[in-house]
Amino acid sequence: MFKYLNLSHTRLRSLEWLQKNTVISRLDLRQTKLNFYDEDSKYLKHLKIQQAIHGDSFKLCCSKYAGSGVPAYNCFAPSDAISSCEHLIGDVIKRSLLWMIVTVGLVGNVILVVVNLSYKRAELSQSDKAYVTNLGVSDFLRSVYAVLILESDVYHGDYYVIYESQWRESSLCTAAGFLLTLSCETSTMFVLLITLDRYLIFKNPLRPCKIPLVGLVASVFAVWVIGLVLAILPVLYPEWEIYSSNGMCLGIPVNMKRSTGWTYSFVVFIVFNFLQLIFIIAGQIAIFKSIALSSDSQINSPTNRIREITVAKNLSLVVLSNFFCWFPVCVVGLMSASGHMFSPDTHGWLAICVIPLNSAVNPVLYTLPAVYQKWLNFYHGKLIAPREINNRNAGK
């Protein structure tokens, strides 16, 4: 029997050296090299902990992993922000919400992209249509990421805790993290380009400056290249432990342990996105000021102006939805970097709802106003047409 077995801050990689049915009063496994794979579970189940066990993984407190020899009330390990002993997404409410968000995101973004590529292909030379279509593709990738996470949750079922380490270090988790990073970064950059495009349109109402086709193609290509580079670097350097830091394969550094890749993750997800948000909100303010000034002045070609203002208002909803998604993430990330600790639920809600929700809201905000406007035009057209016929008949 061991009264107090302190193995913390050692290079211990396995517990196989401990004999079966060893009784330990207190066991400390913090800051060790244990990977907490299934073989570690096998050795833990042979131990009998009388008072307390300390560790770095929530798996230590799960009976399916550690067995009945480690009662949950005697276990002291940090809880996971998202996962539980039974499921990758431990909260039923979060799991149900994510399913609904993914469904809306997949359907909405597919409709947006298909409609623009099939029925509005001729309009893709217009900067607003091109950027919104690419934004739809980017948001679709985020929905695919969420599908991979949900499928893994269903696949592992109630035994997720046993395979938690294998899942985090699997190629599928890496692919999911890659898709999320690519989607998040390209989405923010496309929103920035949308804001810049609208600003150039309204900067000079009499002679609006539009992005030429060459500049349009180059900007879209540049965004995807930058996004691919930012997303693939953590894949090329797995020792950074960015995508494998949690079960959601999420690299956002909120309550994330300071691993080798923490700095990279912080710079990409927090600093880079926060700077873009500043430019986006400044651009939106400038756009609304320009619209107000142009409405006060007497400008010819009112039809084109009305069209530009309508497009600007619809796109501003998309821009603001991205802002309200990423601004809380950036604030929480900056506060975490300064030492402030948030509850695990904060990270959980950000990962489950806020970030995927943005990809589902974007197509709804952009498509619904356009559909509503077309319906109004059709409805008023049906009302006006009979009146014109009656007036003509009355004139005869």
Side-chain angles (χ1 to χ4, degrees), residues 59 62 92 118 128 132 143 154 220 251 271 306 370:
K59 297 169 70 172
C62 300
V92 177
S118 302
D128 59 301
V132 168
S143 298
V154 173
V220 170
V271 177
I306 291 173

Side-chain angles (χ1 to χ4, degrees), residues 6 18 50 91 124 128 130 148 179 311 328:
N6 185 2
L18 285 173
Q50 292 183 330
D91 193 320
L124 289 179
D128 59 301
L148 292 177
L179 287 176
V311 171

